[in-house]
Amino acid sequence: MDPPVNLRDRTAIIGAGSSAFTRTAERSNILLAADAFQAALADAGLRREDVDGVVNVLGRASGIDLDELVAGLGIESRFSTQTWTHSRLMSTAIQHACLAVAAGIADVVAVFVVAGYLKPEGTANRQHEAFRGRGGPHGEAPHYGILTTMGGAALATRRYRELYGLTDEQQGMLSVTLRRHASLNPAATMRKPITLDDYRASPFLVDPLRLYDVGPNTEGACCILVTRAGRAADAPGKPVYVSGFQGMAMGPSEFVFSRPGLGALHQPAGPFEAERDQIAYRMAGVTPADIDGLYTFDAFTTLILFALERFGFCAAGEAGAFVAEGGIALGGRLPVNTNGGIHSEAHVSGANCVVEMVRQLRGECGERQIADARILQWGDCFGDALILRN
Amino acid sequence: MSVAPLLPTITDENRPFWDAARAGRFRMQRCSHCATLRPSPSDICPHCLSEEFAWVDLSGRGAVSSWCVYHRAFHPAFKERVPYTILQVDLDEGVRFVAPLAGGGVRPLKLGMRVRVVFEEAAEDVVLPVFALEEDVV
C-alpha cells in the first residue's frame, strides 16, 4: 500500500490548550472542556467563530457527549464526530480532524478530550463493558475477579518478564523516569520524584504491576486545533505540521495492552520483528532514527516497552535494558513522555502528551525542553502513530 | 458481613457453558465449518464467518502461558479473597482460557506448568471452571 505522501505536512496544529489537571473533581466536564477550548483558542489567536468542526473523544461516562459539548460551547460545527468511549482513540480522533481539513470539508477542527475520571460516573460506570456476557475488551471477567483494565496489562507484563527476563530495576526505571520528567512540569499532578528503592517498596496492585507502575485517575481536558498548513503559516504562533500518521491496529494478532507476538490474552505468540517502513514514517518521509522524542500511552508503564519495540526503536526483549540505561530520559537517546505522560502528568487519554509535543516543537518547555526538537512521534503499543514537526 | 459474589452474566448465548459447568464439564463452542474453538461464545466464527457451531467438551488440561496476582480488591466482593491468582492457560486443544487458580492464594509459578480445570461453587446453582496445578491433583 502506498502511503498518503500527498498529505505530508498538509495540515497543522495551530493551537493546543489544557484545563488544570487535578487529583480531585473540581470542575464539571463542560467547564473542563471550556477551559481547554479557551486556552487553545488563545494559543492559536483564533475566535470561537473560526472553529467549524468538532471531534470528541471518550464521551460518557468518563467525559462528555458530543451533543452536550457542542451545545455547551456554542460552536457552529459542520464536521462533527465522536469516537467510542475509549481512551485509545485519541490520535485516531486527531487523524479524523486532519483528514477533514485536508479534504476541505472543514477549516478549523477542534479535537476534545474531556476526562472526568474522578466523578462518580467516571470510572465506575466505565466498567459496564466488563459485565457483558463475553467480558470486557481488556480481558475483564468480574465473576473471576479479573477487574479493571489492569488485569490484561498485568498478564502481558508477566509474559514479557518471563520471556525476556525484564528485571524489577528495569521496570522500576520506567516510573522513576516519568516522575523525574513530571517534576520539571508545573502542570503535572504527580511531581514528587521517586527512587528505585521507593519503587521496590511500593505495593503490588496486580502483580507484576506495583502502585508506581500505574498512573492515577485524574480530572482534566485538552483541546487541539487542526487546520490547513497554509492557514497555520499565517497564524501568530509557530505552526506544528502533521507530517505522518497511521491508524490504530485491531484484530486477531492484537491485544490492546501488548504488541504483536507477545501472546497476551488471545493473541498468538511468536517471534517479533518491528514492521519496517510503517505508514506513518513513509508518509512523513522519516525513519525511527529521525525521531527526537516519543510520546505514548503509559497508564501502565510497561506499555512503553511494547511501544518501543513495536516501532522498532528496540528489538524484541531489549526495551528494558534501553530504559535502564537512561534511553527514555531527558538527555537520553529517545526521551519519552517529557511531560510525565498519563502516568505522572494526567490521564487525558494522551491528548496531554500531544499538547506537550506542540510545546516542545515550539521550544517552550524550559527545563524539560528536548534540545533542538524537530520531529516528534506519538505512537502506542496498539499501533497508532502521529508524526509532528516544526 | 459478607458481600454477595459477582456472578457471571448468563445469557441465552452462554447458558450452555454455565449449565455444563454446573454438571462438572468444561465446554466451548466449536465452528462446524473450520473447527476453530471460541474461548467466549459468539454468533459467528471470527476465523471463517460461519454461523454453524456445536458445543464440545474439552479436556480442561493445558499449560500456563502467563499469570497475575490481584493484591487489591477492586470490588468489595473480593475483599476477603485477595491475594488471588489469575492464570492464562494454553489448553491442549489449542485455544486459551483465562481463569483463577483454584482455592486462591499465591503459588510459585513458571511458564509451561501443567494445569487442569476443576470446578468451584460460586453461589447456589452457579459453578465456575477454574484451574488447579496438576501437581495438586491426585
Side-chain angles (χ1 to χ4, degrees):
Chain A
M1 191 168 75
D2 289 329
V5 292
N6 57 322
L7 293 180
R8 178 189 304 166
D9 301 335
R10 279 273 306 281
T11 57
I13 296 175
I14 191 177
S18 301
S19 70
F21 303 136
T22 58
R23 295 208 60 206
T24 53
E26 291 165 19
R27 305 272 283 166
S28 69
N29 287 345
I30 190 65
L31 289 177
L32 290 175
D35 292 345
F37 188 42
Q38 292 184 352
L41 289 173
D43 186 53
L46 293 180
R47 297 169 309 135
R48 173 178 59 181
E49 289 64 34
D50 295 316
V51 173
D52 63 354
V54 175
V55 182
N56 187 38
V57 182
L58 275 182
R60 280 193 170 270
S62 312
I64 186 169
D65 270 331
L66 182 61
D67 289 302
E68 296 175 85
L69 176 69
V70 174
L73 299 184
I75 300 169
E76 292 286 358
S77 177
R78 55 180 169 166
F79 174 79
S80 323
T81 186
Q82 173 168 309
T83 68
W84 183 44
T85 175
H86 277 254
S87 255
R88 68 185 192 273
L89 288 146
M90 186 280 300
S91 97
T92 299
I94 293 176
Q95 294 170 36
H96 289 170
C98 292
L99 292 169
V101 163
I105 59 174
D107 197 31
V108 178
V109 176
V111 180
F112 285 91
V113 181
V114 181
Y117 287 127
L118 297 172
K119 299 194 175 72
E121 68 273 24
T123 295
N125 284 4
R126 205 155 44 106
Q127 288 294 318
H128 71 281
E129 288 173 324
F131 290 88
R132 300 186 295 209
R134 295 169 190 166
H138 316 88
E140 299 95 327
H143 53 279
Y144 278 151
I146 311 175
L147 291 159
T148 84
T149 55
M150 212 178 296
L155 287 172
T157 301
R158 169 55 63 191
R159 202 166 152 77
Y160 186 93
R161 286 180 65 101
E162 297 301 310
L163 290 177
Y164 301 112
L166 179 75
T167 64
D168 289 343
E169 183 193 349
Q170 291 169 344
Q171 187 172 330
M173 280 306 291
L174 290 160
S175 53
V176 169
T177 306
L178 292 165
R179 277 300 168 79
R180 162 82 185 138
H181 291 174
S183 74
L184 304 173
N185 174 7
T189 59
M190 306 295 283
R191 298 192 62 201
K192 192 175 160 211
I194 58 171
T195 65
L196 268 179
D197 284 340
D198 295 332
Y199 173 79
R200 288 194 194 94
S202 79
F204 282 118
L205 298 182
V206 183
D207 179 356
L209 298 178
R210 294 177 183 275
L211 177 66
Y212 283 152
D213 289 309
V214 179
N217 283 323
T218 55
E219 294 264 315
C222 296
C223 178
I224 315 282
L225 298 171
V226 175
T227 191
R228 290 173 286 112
R231 177 163 186 165
D234 298 332
K238 194 171 169 184
V240 168
Y241 295 97
V242 181
S243 292
F245 48 79
Q246 67 189 32
M248 180 176 81
M250 296 180 78
S253 62
E254 300 285 344
F255 170 59
V256 54
F257 292 150
S258 181
R259 54 121 173 96
L262 187 56
L265 264 288
H266 298 294
Q267 160 191 64
F272 174 76
E273 201 175 324
E275 188 192 333
R276 286 179 187 279
D277 300 329
Q278 297 187 37
I279 290 171
Y281 297 124
R282 288 200 291 161
M283 178 174 164
V286 302
T287 71
D290 297 315
I291 303 297
D292 297 319
L294 178 70
Y295 294 80
T296 191
F297 190 95
D298 63 349
F300 309 112
T301 54
T302 49
L303 306 188
I304 292 173
L305 306 174
F306 309 153
L308 288 168
E309 295 180 7
R310 174 156 207 147
F311 290 99
F313 295 109
C314 298
E318 294 179 6
F322 182 76
V323 170
E325 289 159 9
I328 67 165
L330 276 163
R333 211 145 44 96
L334 182 74
V336 170
N337 290 353
T338 52
N339 55 335
I342 287 172
H343 179 269
S344 292
E345 187 187 40
H347 194 331
V348 196
S349 301
N352 51 314
C353 294
V354 176
V355 173
E356 171 80 0
M357 290 165 76
V358 171
R359 303 270 179 269
Q360 286 279 350
L361 287 167
R362 292 180 184 159
E364 298 170 352
C365 288
E367 282 186 281
R368 65 178 197 281
Q369 179 66 43
I370 299 172
D372 198 26
R374 290 181 47 251
I375 303 171
L376 299 178
Q377 180 187 346
W378 168 264
D380 284 314
C381 67
F382 34 94
D384 61 317
L386 287 175
I387 295 174
L388 306 183
R389 74 161 181 88
N390 57 19
Chain B
M1 197 181 76
S2 70
V3 177
L6 291 178
L7 296 177
T9 307
I10 296 179
T11 61
D12 286 346
E13 185 179 62
N14 67 25
R15 185 167 288 111
F17 177 89
W18 296 110
D19 284 349
R22 222 166 46 225
R25 285 152 54 213
F26 178 61
R27 61 195 331 210
M28 279 187 193
Q29 291 179 344
R30 184 174 65 194
C31 175
S32 301
H33 180 68
C34 73
T36 299
L37 287 160
R38 310 211 271 263
S40 57
S42 173
D43 287 336
I44 190 163
C45 172
H47 186 66
C48 74
L49 305 186
S50 169
E51 297 176 31
E52 305 301 319
F53 69 90
W55 285 95
V56 296
D57 288 350
L58 301 186
S59 68
R61 290 165 193 261
V64 171
S65 58
S66 193
W67 68 91
C68 64
V69 181
Y70 277 73
H71 289 266
R72 173 76 61 97
F74 291 99
H75 187 281
F78 289 89
K79 201 170 167 196
E80 278 151 37
R81 303 265 301 272
V82 289
Y84 59 93
T85 300
I86 303 296
L87 300 176
Q88 174 182 311
V89 173
D90 292 12
L91 295 168
D92 291 349
E93 288 85 354
V95 64
R96 286 209 193 104
F97 196 74
V98 179
L101 175 68
V106 185
R107 293 287 296 272
L109 296 169
K110 282 196 300 216
L111 292 187
M113 281 179 93
R114 296 292 301 173
V115 296
R116 73 164 76 165
V117 166
V118 296
F119 299 89
E120 283 184 352
E121 193 170 334
E124 196 182 336
D125 280 343
V126 181
V127 171
L128 304 178
V130 297
F131 288 111
L133 302 182
E134 282 279 10
E135 64 193 38
D136 293 344
V137 183
V138 189

